Amino acid sequence: MDLDPIALARIQFAFTVSFHIIFPAFTIGLASYLAVLEGLWLATRRQVFLTLYKFWLPVFAVAFAMGVVSGLVMSYQFGTNWGPFAEMTAPVLGPLLAYEVLTAFFLEAGFLGVMLFGMGRVGEKLHFTATALVAIGTLISAFWILSANSWMQTPAAFHIDADGRFAPDSWIGVIFNPSFPYRFAHMTMAAYLATAFLVGAAGAWRLLKDKTSAPGKVMFAMAALMAMTAAPLQLVIGDLHGLNTQEHQPAKLAAMEGHFETREGAPFYVVGWPDQEAGEMQAAIAIPKLGSLILHHSLNAEVTGLDSIAQEDWPNVPFVFWSFRVMVGLGMLMILYGLCALVLGLRKKLFEARWLQGWAVAMAPSGLIAILAGWFVTEAGRQPYVVYGLMRTDEAASPIGAPGVAGSLLAFVVVYLTVFVAGAFYMIRLAVRDPEGVTGKRELKKGPIRSAGVEPGPAQKGGEQGGAG
Amino acid sequence: MAFDLPTIWAVLICVALTAYVVLDGFDLGIGVLFWFGKDRKERDTMMNTVAPVWDGNETWLILGGGGLFAAFPLAYSVLLTAFYAPLIAMLLALVLRGVAFEFRFRTERWKPYWSAAFFGGSTVAAFCQGVMVGAFVQGVEVQDGVYAGGWFDWLTPFTLVTGLALVAGYALLGAGWLVIKTSGDIHARMAKLRIPLGIAAIVLLGGVSLGTLYQDADIAARWFGGGFYILLWAIPALTGLAAIGWLATAWRGMEVTPFLCSLVMFALAMAGLAASLYPNLIPPDISYREAANADGSLAFMLVGALVLLPVILGYTAYAYWIFRGKVDPEHGYH
């Protein structure tokens, strides 16, 4: 079999960036959650908030470390595998990434040590400041990297300079390119929602073990509140983001909807198999006219299909179509979950419905899966371009032969899977502990130098048994 | 030698790389020395001396990569492609040793494996960095702005020596750091160990310096050409003084001074490298000006860098200050 080096390089990039995005998404949400918990502890002095802060801190440390090391890989991979892309886009994207490092990464890294190990070494307020700065750092980082990604989706405020590179005309125009505000809102909200469902699952797990657990109730209720409010809000933001895509990236939107033909009163395909070769939707369950209603807010409006675009410029339609359905389907499940929690909450039975707790545990990875599916939609939907409409992906790759890329891809897969399995295992084991059991003497004997003692030995096993039950 | 935007950025990238080498140098060095930790408790202590700061140290490497992309995209694209294998190996090694900081403390059964990952990852990362420095000095083949050399051009006896030199050098920095941050057995062992490590590092560094002269006739001509360049001899002269200072103070069992001397040696080695290669960023003949990004982009970043770098140095220094003093093996940082 002849391996295509560009296809391999794309698989490598997709694999490494998919692995990476899980951890920043989780740490964006968790850093803000920790800042809220510590703020609530300082404001109310209710022990449960401090208990929960200490409970989530080691999980945050593991997730953050995995995000840092996989992010380092990303900062070099443009150069190793996508040299021509790097050279063409450097005048525009270089400064955005440089600002991400200068304004976000150093801030996070500088105060992370204080946040993880500084309790007891610095004052309470200063410690809270460190937590808040780390949380702000994660958001600043998201701001810059999403700006850079959005520019690749909807390039703006540039000209082609004498060297054939994209050169910026206005930094405001570059940074706040047309899709950026929507993407930033959508991704930040997604990170918060994904974290809420992970926290909610940990709370539900605790409640299933012990109905009276106060930290379990607090986590479960806070997560339910997020599901009630943020999940419907995300639907609205997503809709606006979709309308923006319709305006700027019609091929992507048509692939998301599975619309091959341009027509008035277009249906909405709930499911179906988009046949890329034949250019038609097969085995579809369709709701008439709903497509026009969603996209133009009018029953008989004309919807642009892929037939208006040359076939060589189409993305992989089935992949985009199905990734979109996974994302939206999970979003709908989250909204439904929020509604159920709302009804139960109004009847004062939020903590009694065991089925809701079971559902919450099952929903634990839902947000992270939805984030991955969403990124599949937006990145695969931009193909065959790396810079939409301007630079094709196959013109962007470095001249590295297939055996070289295959070798590095194999190495990435082996190392990342090892690290992922171990990291996920440790995080889950930390998340199923009893928060109250671990803030006592036992917790103090654990971890690096996060708190008093440094003898992780026997205490570790105790924690494990206590947690997993 | 106009002081234009590319020149300023070339200086800034050199500063970032020097900051990386001295800061991550000692914490990679601790990984290299992990082998010499007698038991789990000692290894815990060794790791704890850098646990609060390693992440910040590694951020300088992200700045190195991101900054090279932003300031000198041609060099970023050509050099990283040329050093593909050692670069990917370094990144994966850093992944393994980075997660080991957390994973080691999260398991008992697998602790020895993560200790091995920390040792192996740190050592491989240091070695690959050294190999890449050597390959960089050696020069890479470029045609039409694209890397045109082979897959294993980076692999020569010279680059293997630079790889070893950096491992030894980082281990020296690590030992110096551990002498400052620990007490008892491990302190005494590291104080002894740093002497042979330092001598090895100095010998290898000297060998690499001599080897550099033979990589390119222009480099030799610069150092032995006389005239204005005679001033450059200040760099090896000062390096020699720092080496003597290091030996004298380490021999007497001092803690902080030898460590500072070894940092100075590293910084001077970087300066010597820059002096040899100037103005080439893709040796042997593409200058940093040819590799530079558009002036508008360099100017936009410079505003941020000038404001933010002092702030970053400020809070980084503060973080080190918070975690100052020796690590107590019984009570960690508390």
Side-chain angles (χ1 to χ4, degrees), chain A residues 9 16 25 30 39 41 82 86 94 120 130 154 234 269 286 294 315 327-328 347 353 355 368 424 444 455 464:
Chain A
T16 49
L30 203 50
W41 150 248
W82 303 99
T154 55
Q234 181 73 319
Y269 297 112
I294 292 173
M327 178 188 76
V328 173
R347 291 189 193 161
W355 59 268
L368 294 176
L444 294 179
E455 265 190 308
E464 187 187 349

Side-chain angles (χ1 to χ4, degrees), chain A residues 206-214 217 351 354 357:
Chain A
R206 188 47 34 212
L207 289 175
L208 286 169
K209 298 262 160 205
D210 168 15
K211 274 186 258 203
T212 62
S213 166
K217 284 182 180 175
F351 302 122
R354 309 284 280 181
Q357 290 159 10

Side-chain angles (χ1 to χ4, degrees), chain A residues 12-38:
Chain A
Q12 178 170 300
F13 197 89
F15 176 72
T16 49
V17 79
S18 298
F19 177 93
H20 173 64
I21 190 64
I22 294 171
F23 301 101
F26 184 33
T27 48
I28 288 169
L30 203 50
S32 291
Y33 184 56
L34 285 166
V36 167
L37 286 171
E38 194 171 19

Side-chain angles (χ1 to χ4, degrees), chain B residues 275-287:
Chain B
S276 294
L277 296 176
Y278 175 90
N280 293 322
L281 189 57
I282 310 175
D285 48 29
I286 298 179
S287 76

Side-chain angles (χ1 to χ4, degrees), chain B residues 50-119:
Chain B
V50 280
V53 292
W54 76 271
D55 189 6
N57 294 345
E58 203 164 291
T59 306
W60 291 94
L61 186 61
I62 306 184
L63 183 66
L68 199 61
F69 170 46
F72 302 102
L74 181 66
Y76 175 75
S77 138
V78 168
L79 294 176
L80 270 50
T81 304
F83 305 153
Y84 193 74
L87 189 80
I88 301 275
M90 176 199 79
L91 292 171
L92 288 170
L94 288 174
V95 167
L96 284 172
R97 61 90 66 172
V99 297
F101 271 105
E102 286 299 325
F103 289 4
R104 258 191 93 251
F105 290 102
R106 303 263 69 96
T107 175
E108 274 306 304
R109 207 177 344 158
W110 285 71
K111 195 166 192 158
Y113 295 95
W114 293 118
S115 294
F118 188 63
F119 163 73

Side-chain angles (χ1 to χ4, degrees), chain A residues 75 91 99 121 408 429 449, chain B residues 61 76 84 106 297 300 333:
Chain A
S75 82
Y99 270 102
R121 269 183 104 81
S408 62
R429 195 159 72 178
I449 23 190
Chain B
L61 186 61
Y76 175 75
Y84 193 74
R106 303 263 69 96
S297 303
F300 175 60
Y333 266 116

Side-chain angles (χ1 to χ4, degrees), chain A residues 64 75-76 78-81 86-87 90-91 99 106-107 112 121 126 399-400 404 408 426 429 449-450 452 454 460, chain B residues 55 61 65 69 73 76-77 81 84 87 102 105-107 114 146 151 293 297 300 304 315 318 322 324 331-333:
Chain A
F64 198 92
S75 82
Y76 281 85
F78 290 155
T80 52
N81 293 83
E87 283 177 56
Y99 270 102
F106 277 111
L107 189 70
L112 181 76
R121 269 183 104 81
L126 189 60
I400 294 173
S408 62
Y426 298 141
R429 195 159 72 178
I449 23 190
R450 206 148 279 141
V454 193
Q460 187 79 33
Chain B
D55 189 6
L61 186 61
F69 170 46
Y76 175 75
S77 138
T81 304
Y84 193 74
L87 189 80
E102 286 299 325
F105 290 102
R106 303 263 69 96
T107 175
W114 293 118
V146 177
W151 289 9
N293 205 343
S297 303
F300 175 60
Y315 61 62
Y318 178 65
I322 290 177
R324 68 193 176 277
H331 300 291
Y333 266 116

